[in-house]
């Protein structure tokens, strides 16, 4: 896999976004960091030649992705993901999330980028756990306490099966309503891959966490989520956009 990257101003993106998206579709990721005035644009592809055409038209550079990132096979095969130096296998099934969807993929990227700076032993809750991919990835990355919450019993059953498949123990999956979940202890990270209306509703409950990874937000709903974060006095630390989806890293500075 190769990655095209370009640093750009918001004005440059505004002037070129339509042409860029015509070429890249939903593969374009737009990363906005709170402490920087420039955006980072990314497109991943197996074809270096395809990305070279982007360089020729829009500038930027190409780099080869490290082996510890997403490793894809054909659409109808299981898609293992490299997390924490080992493969994580999430077969396609009834529960949402194999790592392919933009909301899950962006959440994984934020989690992988954030946690290497921390000592092993941190805690995480995955709200809307689905297939359990984010909770299991967190365990691979060094989390000591991992809880996955979903209101769908079928999703929790699938998540537990995926934990057994990957020989990962120590992850607690529970059937519960995320709107009523309340932590009994300090949590370092809350990942919530949920619809924006639900994210906004539960923000007061999850804001004590050290960091929040929020996904499942549509671009047209981004402003509403930003306003809700501001009302709860939570800082936005990084924003990623891919296609119609937005993911945010937030927390207290």
């Amino acid at each position: 896999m190769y990655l095209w990257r370009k640093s750009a101003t918001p004005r440059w993106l505004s002037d070129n976004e339509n042409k860029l998206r015509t070429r890249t579709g939903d593969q374009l990721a737009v990363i906005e960091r709170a402490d920087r005035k420039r955006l980072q644009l990314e497109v991943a592809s197996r074809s270096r030649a395809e990305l070279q055409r982007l360089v020729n038209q829009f500038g930027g550079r190409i780099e080869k992705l490290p082996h510890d990132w997403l490793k894809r096979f054909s659409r109808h095969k299981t898609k293992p993901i490299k997390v924490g130096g080992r493969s994580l296998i999430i077969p396609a099934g009834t529960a949402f999330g194999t790592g392919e969807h933009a909301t899950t993929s962006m959440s994984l990227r934020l989690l992988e980028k954030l946690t290497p700076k921390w000592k092993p032993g941190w805690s995480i809750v995955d709200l809307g756990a689905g297939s359990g991919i984010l909770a299991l990835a967190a365990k691979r990355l060094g989390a000591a306490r991992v809880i996955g919450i979903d209101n769908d019993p079928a999703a929790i059953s699938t998540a537990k099966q995926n934990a057994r498949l990957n020989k990962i123990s120590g992850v607690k999956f529970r059937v519960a309503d995320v709107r009523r979940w309340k932590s009994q202890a300090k949590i370092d990270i809350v990942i919530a891959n949920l619809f924006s209306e639900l994210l906004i509703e539960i923000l007061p409950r999850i804001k004590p966490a050290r960091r929040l990874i929020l996904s499942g937000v549509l671009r047209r709903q981004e402003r509403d989520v930003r306003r809700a974060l501001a009302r709860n006095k939570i800082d936005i630390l990084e924003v990623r956009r891919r296609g119609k989806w937005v993911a945010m890293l937030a927390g207290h500075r």
Side-chain angles (χ1 to χ4, degrees), residues 6-253:
K6 178 179 175 63
S7 175
T9 63
R11 176 62 182 273
W12 186 95
L13 181 61
S14 176
D15 291 343
N16 293 274
E17 186 169 10
N18 288 340
K19 289 185 291 184
L20 190 54
R21 289 194 182 278
T22 297
R23 271 197 170 274
T24 63
D26 286 349
Q27 295 305 307
L28 175 66
V30 181
I31 303 167
E32 174 187 334
R33 297 187 177 92
D35 56 345
R36 299 184 186 177
K37 295 182 179 179
R38 297 180 70 84
L39 308 172
Q40 182 169 298
L41 313 180
E42 295 183 356
V43 176
S45 175
R46 285 187 175 278
S47 170
R48 186 182 181 96
E50 177 184 342
L51 297 184
Q52 185 60 50
R53 288 191 285 272
L54 289 180
V55 173
N56 295 342
Q57 184 172 357
F58 302 104
R61 68 183 190 278
I62 300 172
E63 60 185 75
K64 190 170 183 178
L65 283 173
H67 293 297
D68 60 356
W69 180 230
L70 200 60
K71 194 175 184 180
R72 303 172 190 266
F73 289 93
S74 67
R75 179 176 299 177
H76 301 292
K77 294 180 181 179
T78 297
K79 302 170 178 64
I81 299 170
K82 286 285 188 179
V83 179
R86 296 172 63 187
S87 292
L88 185 64
I89 302 171
I90 307 293
T94 56
F96 178 83
T98 61
E100 284 291 301
H101 196 274
T103 59
T104 308
S105 177
M106 288 190 292
S107 296
L108 276 170
R109 290 293 293 271
L110 289 170
L111 183 63
E112 275 199 311
K113 180 181 176 183
L114 175 65
T115 53
K117 304 172 186 176
W118 294 4
K119 294 180 180 179
W122 42 273
S123 57
I124 186 168
V125 173
D126 179 10
L127 299 179
S131 64
I133 182 171
L134 296 174
L136 298 177
K139 195 67 177 177
R140 282 275 195 259
L141 292 168
R145 182 173 178 234
V146 182
I147 301 172
I149 304 291
D150 203 292
N151 65 355
D152 183 356
I156 292 299
S157 176
T158 299
K160 290 179 178 179
Q161 290 174 16
N162 287 333
R164 289 192 291 269
L165 174 65
N166 288 279
K167 299 180 180 179
I168 296 176
S169 59
V171 180
K172 296 180 180 179
F173 289 108
R174 301 174 183 170
V175 178
D177 186 340
V178 298
R179 291 170 296 184
R180 295 185 175 90
W181 173 83
K182 186 176 181 180
S183 175
Q184 301 300 314
K186 176 68 175 178
I187 297 295
D188 291 304
I189 302 174
V190 171
I191 289 187
N193 187 359
L194 304 166
F195 294 116
S196 59
E197 295 86 352
L198 188 51
L199 285 176
I200 292 169
E201 183 179 346
I202 68 173
L203 271 181
R205 287 182 175 270
I206 65 176
K207 69 179 181 181
R210 183 176 172 188
R211 290 291 182 266
L212 305 176
I213 296 177
L214 310 177
S215 192
V217 179
L218 291 168
R219 288 172 69 98
R220 67 175 182 271
Q221 299 164 331
E222 179 181 351
R223 182 177 297 179
D224 294 334
V225 176
R226 284 178 174 270
R227 287 172 177 168
L229 288 165
R231 285 197 303 272
N232 285 276
K233 298 181 180 179
I234 304 170
D235 297 316
I236 297 173
L237 306 177
E238 184 171 330
V239 178
R240 289 176 178 254
R241 301 180 184 88
R242 182 173 168 186
K244 63 182 180 181
W245 299 103
V246 178
M248 300 178 181
L249 173 64
H252 305 286
R253 293 183 186 278

